[in-house]
Amino acid sequence: MRDSIIKERTLNHPIDIVWKAITNAEEITKWFLRADFKAEKGYNYVFNSTGEDCSPIKGTVLEASPYQLTYTWIVEENPIETIVTWTLEPIDGGTKLILSHTGITNYAGETAVSMFTSFDGGWDNCIAGLVVYLKPMIHAG
C-alpha cells in the first residue's frame, strides 16, 4: 500500500490569494471545514464539519513559511497522526498547488486502506471546493 497521497493543481490566481485561502481561518471555513486555525508554527488547530458523521480533525502546525504549510492531521475518532503539507509555487499566470498527505500506513491493517481511500477522495473534494471558492477572485484586485 502506498503511504502518500499527492494532489497537484494549477490555479489561475496569484500565489498570495491562494496562500490566504489555505491559511486564513475565515477563508478555510468558507471552502473546507469550520476552522479554528492560525498559520503559526506550534498552533493547535481544529477543523469541524457540520455533518453528523464527521469527526473533528485536530493537529499542530509544524511549518508555516512563505508558501509551505505543514501540519499534523489527527481524526478524533481514530487518533493516528499523519502529516499534511501544502506547497505553493508561482507560475506564469497563477500558482501551482501541491498537497501531500503522508503517514497513512500509521493506521493498522485494513484501517490504513480505508483511511487512504477516504483521504484520497476527500482531498479531491477539498481541492474542488477551493477551486470553486477562488473562481470569483480571478479578476479581483
Side-chain angles (χ1 to χ4, degrees):
M1 186 192 139
R2 292 185 331 198
D3 187 51
S4 299
I5 295 168
I6 307 286
K7 304 290 182 180
E8 292 187 21
R9 184 73 185 246
T10 300
L11 303 167
N12 298 326
H13 299 80
I15 197 168
D16 289 325
I17 288 175
V18 179
W19 180 251
K20 186 176 178 194
I22 67 169
T23 61
N24 178 280
E26 288 180 28
E27 293 200 33
I28 295 166
T29 297
K30 291 177 183 174
W31 64 267
F32 185 40
L33 295 169
R34 194 172 62 238
D36 172 3
F37 189 88
K38 290 184 183 175
E40 298 172 2
K41 185 176 182 177
Y43 189 80
N44 294 314
Y45 75 88
V46 178
F47 293 144
N48 283 295
S49 174
T50 55
E52 292 179 21
D53 297 333
C54 296
S55 181
I57 297 157
K58 299 179 178 185
T60 302
V61 176
L62 302 175
E63 179 181 358
S65 59
Y67 312 128
Q68 183 159 321
L69 175 65
T70 302
Y71 45 81
T72 60
W73 180 272
I74 302 167
V75 179
E76 190 172 84
E77 72 185 23
N78 198 344
I80 300 296
E81 183 177 287
T82 59
I83 304 292
V84 172
T85 300
W86 299 81
T87 304
L88 304 180
E89 299 173 5
I91 58 171
D92 285 343
T95 302
K96 181 178 179 181
L97 177 146
I98 303 164
L99 177 134
S100 70
H101 190 163
T102 61
I104 300 163
T105 56
N106 292 341
Y107 288 96
E110 287 301 310
T111 302
V113 175
S114 65
M115 294 305 279
F116 186 92
T117 301
S118 175
F119 290 148
D120 191 45
W123 288 121
D124 286 338
N125 292 336
C126 172
I127 292 171
L130 177 62
V131 168
V132 168
Y133 173 73
L134 290 172
K135 192 170 188 170
M137 297 181 193
I138 289 177
H139 300 292

